[in-house]
């Protein structure tokens, strides 16, 4: 009996370990042992994603139990974003180019805030940290599942790059800025201090009655697009 229980426990554990990938319509789960399982994203109801300390439970046309790894922890938040419009059903095959998101500090005369910068050819936006829940709510128009850790800003921006047009992406970022209490400036409203390479520091000064400084840096994977975007900004 103990041997049977051990075998059953091992088989169940192996069925909860594997890899996943997402299409525009489906979650595909390939366990370490057994056949792949597909779940329609449209079949996952509100509160259909539940995350605990050890596992994730996804309820749809099928029910999946996944043991935690870092990838699966991220899956719960990503599913909240991808199972609803505007990303649900998006069939674009290429991610939007000329988007850079990096950690930065927004500093004024008497205060500073930590957050993330979204750099685009026509504008720059600052989003405070820990605003993933507000961002997800304004993008999807739905309340996130209460048992799912909110998605963080960088992966949120990365998934929004799958939207079908630049206009759709920029409109989503604008709504996230408003919902998260962030700030947005056009390329004409900021000055870039180009003396330092972007991998060392990106320093942006805002004009107006309340001058602010955005400072941060990008890693090597974002160096080329950051340089390309900033090179096309108005020279002032």
């Amino acid at each position: 009996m103990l041997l049977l229980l051990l075998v059953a426990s091992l088989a169940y554990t192996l069925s909860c370990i594997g890899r996943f990938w997402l299409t525009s319509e489906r979650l595909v789960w390939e366990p370490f042992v057994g056949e792949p399982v597909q779940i329609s994203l449209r079949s996952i109801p509100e509160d259909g994603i539940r995350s605990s300390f050890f596992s994730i439970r996804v309820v749809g046309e099928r029910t999946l139990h996944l043991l935690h790894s870092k990838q699966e922890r991220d899956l719960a938040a990503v599913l909240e974003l991808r199972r609803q419009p505007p990303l649900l059903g998006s069939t674009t095959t290429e991610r939007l180019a000329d988007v850079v998101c990096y950690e930065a500090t927004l500093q004024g005369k008497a205060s500073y805030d930590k957050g993330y910068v979204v750099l685009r050819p026509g504008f720059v936006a600052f989003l405070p940290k820990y605003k993933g829940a507000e961002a997800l709510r304004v993008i999807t128009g739905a309340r996130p599942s209460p048992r799912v850790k909110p998605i963080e800003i960088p992966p949120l921006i990365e998934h929004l790059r799958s939207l079908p047009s630049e206009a759709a992406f920029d409109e989503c970022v604008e709504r996230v800025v408003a919902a998260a209490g962030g700030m947005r400036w056009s390329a004409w409203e900021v000055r870039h201090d180009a003396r330092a390479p972007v991998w060392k520091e990106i320093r942006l000064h805002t004009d107006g009655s309340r001058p602010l400084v955005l400072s941060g840096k990008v890693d090597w994977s974002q160096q080329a697009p950051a340089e390309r975007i900033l090179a096309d900004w108005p020279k002032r």
Side-chain angles (χ1 to χ4, degrees):
M1 181 64 71
L2 289 175
L3 181 59
L4 288 174
L5 289 174
L6 179 61
V7 170
S9 176
L10 179 60
Y12 176 77
T13 300
L14 291 176
S15 71
C16 297
I17 298 174
R19 64 190 185 97
F20 74 88
W21 61 91
L22 290 167
T23 72
S24 61
E25 295 281 354
R26 309 191 74 79
L27 163 66
V28 183
W29 171 252
E30 187 176 81
F32 185 75
V33 173
E35 295 297 319
V37 178
Q38 298 187 38
I39 294 180
S40 168
L41 297 178
R42 297 178 188 273
S43 73
I44 301 174
E46 183 178 339
D47 201 25
I49 306 163
R50 300 187 179 186
S51 179
S52 68
F53 187 76
F54 295 105
S55 65
I56 292 172
R57 181 172 177 258
V58 182
V59 178
E61 57 192 5
R62 299 278 298 273
T63 299
L64 283 179
H65 293 269
L66 315 177
L67 294 184
H68 262 329
S69 68
K70 179 163 190 318
Q71 189 186 30
E72 277 77 54
R73 284 197 298 272
D74 293 342
L75 171 62
V78 170
L79 278 175
E80 285 286 359
L81 178 65
R82 298 299 295 259
R83 72 184 179 89
Q84 301 173 94
L87 284 172
L88 178 63
S90 177
T91 57
T92 182
T93 57
E94 294 185 5
R95 294 184 307 164
L96 179 65
D98 291 334
V99 176
V100 175
C101 181
Y102 60 91
E103 194 166 358
T105 300
L106 178 65
Q107 187 169 357
K109 287 186 177 180
S111 64
Y112 71 93
D113 292 311
K114 295 286 188 180
Y116 299 96
V117 161
V118 179
L119 199 62
R120 289 281 287 135
F123 69 87
V124 59
F126 175 78
L127 301 170
K129 274 191 172 182
Y130 313 120
K131 294 294 184 176
E134 291 85 346
L136 184 63
R137 187 180 298 112
V138 75
I139 288 171
T140 63
R143 179 178 62 87
S145 297
R147 300 190 185 186
V148 175
K149 181 181 177 181
I151 191 168
E152 295 183 4
I153 296 297
L156 172 71
I157 297 299
E158 191 64 23
H159 281 279
L160 290 181
R161 292 177 65 184
S162 297
L163 288 170
S165 69
E166 292 192 39
F169 176 90
D170 293 344
E171 192 269 338
C172 270
V173 171
E174 189 169 349
R175 286 194 286 133
V176 170
V177 168
M183 303 184 77
R184 180 186 183 279
W185 303 269
S186 76
W188 287 97
E189 296 176 297
V190 296
R191 291 176 286 109
H192 170 226
D193 186 345
R195 290 174 294 180
V198 296
W199 56 266
K200 189 173 184 179
E201 184 181 39
I202 299 177
R203 195 170 183 86
L204 304 174
H205 301 260
T206 70
D207 293 334
S209 58
R210 185 191 171 197
L212 298 169
V213 177
L214 273 171
S215 58
K217 61 182 180 180
V218 297
D219 59 27
W220 66 269
S221 65
Q222 299 192 97
Q223 182 175 339
E227 290 174 343
R228 183 169 62 248
I229 291 170
L230 293 171
D232 287 340
W233 275 17
K235 302 295 188 296
R236 304 176 56 205

